[in-house]
Amino acid sequence: FDPVGLLLGGQLGDLLDQWDIPIVKPVGGHAIFLDAKRFYPQVPQSAFPGQTLAAELYLDSGLRAMERGVVSAGRDPETGDHRYPKLELTRLTIPRRVYTQSHIDYVAEAVIGVAGLREQLRGYRIVKAPAVLRHFTALFEPLAASATMLTMMKSASAPADA
């Protein structure tokens, strides 16, 4: 039992909820599950909304998150088709003994920042994946430039102040 983890997990859930970030409730003590289907309603499951959110969080802020949806569900061994689970989630795990309030605030700010650019995204596609456990080592690319990459390109092309 980790009372600090429960407290901070609840605080993170409250912060995200205040910003209308779609999360699974009730919030647990060890993780927050972002509802990627509702986060990216324009991204079909075939374009991996959970993986899209995990990738954008990493590109934007270095946050490591885990997709729990189509990619994790794998393919049907008989047909080779993707399995489409009812839920499409992105898990933000709260590690034991290494978090502080500033960590929780940073995570909330990162998710809120990515949410501000979410309409621009169309999802990702698998470029290369092993036959089994693809969620660990698959290679993805955005269907269009990622929101984070668009922002970085816009900043890089802005004229320097004289």
Side-chain angles (χ1 to χ4, degrees):
F1 175 69
D2 183 6
V4 175
L6 285 172
L7 175 68
L8 292 176
Q11 288 176 356
L12 179 55
D14 289 345
L15 286 169
L16 296 176
D17 206 29
Q18 288 170 17
W19 283 87
D20 295 323
I21 303 296
I23 61 174
V24 175
K25 296 177 187 176
V27 172
H30 75 289
I32 300 291
F33 288 88
L34 304 171
D35 185 336
K37 270 189 188 178
R38 292 187 332 184
F39 196 94
Y40 293 122
Q42 77 280 13
V43 176
Q45 268 191 292
S46 60
F48 315 116
Q51 187 65 34
T52 298
L53 183 49
E56 291 299 312
L57 286 168
Y58 184 76
L59 289 170
D60 180 70
S61 61
L63 286 183
R64 293 174 55 200
M66 173 66 180
E67 178 272 355
R68 300 302 296 160
V70 176
V71 178
S72 297
R75 294 183 181 268
D76 182 293
E78 292 182 20
T79 66
D81 294 335
H82 294 297
R83 291 184 179 123
Y84 291 97
K86 189 174 184 178
L87 297 174
E88 186 74 29
L89 307 174
T90 303
R91 181 182 73 200
L92 300 173
T93 304
I94 300 172
R96 294 183 66 188
R97 298 179 299 207
V98 295
Y99 42 60
T100 64
Q101 186 62 52
S102 64
H103 287 114
I104 297 303
D105 293 342
Y106 180 79
V107 171
E109 289 169 12
V111 174
I112 292 162
V114 168
L117 302 170
R118 64 182 157 193
E119 288 82 19
Q120 301 172 32
L121 291 165
R122 298 294 166 251
Y124 278 65
R125 73 177 190 90
I126 296 177
V127 174
K128 183 178 176 183
V132 295
L133 299 175
R134 67 185 182 166
H135 57 286
F136 288 117
T137 59
L139 178 62
F140 295 86
E141 70 180 9
L143 292 175
S146 77
T148 302
M149 293 303 287
L150 289 171
T151 302
M152 289 168 44
M153 291 184 320
K154 192 182 289 184
S155 321
S157 65
D161 290 340

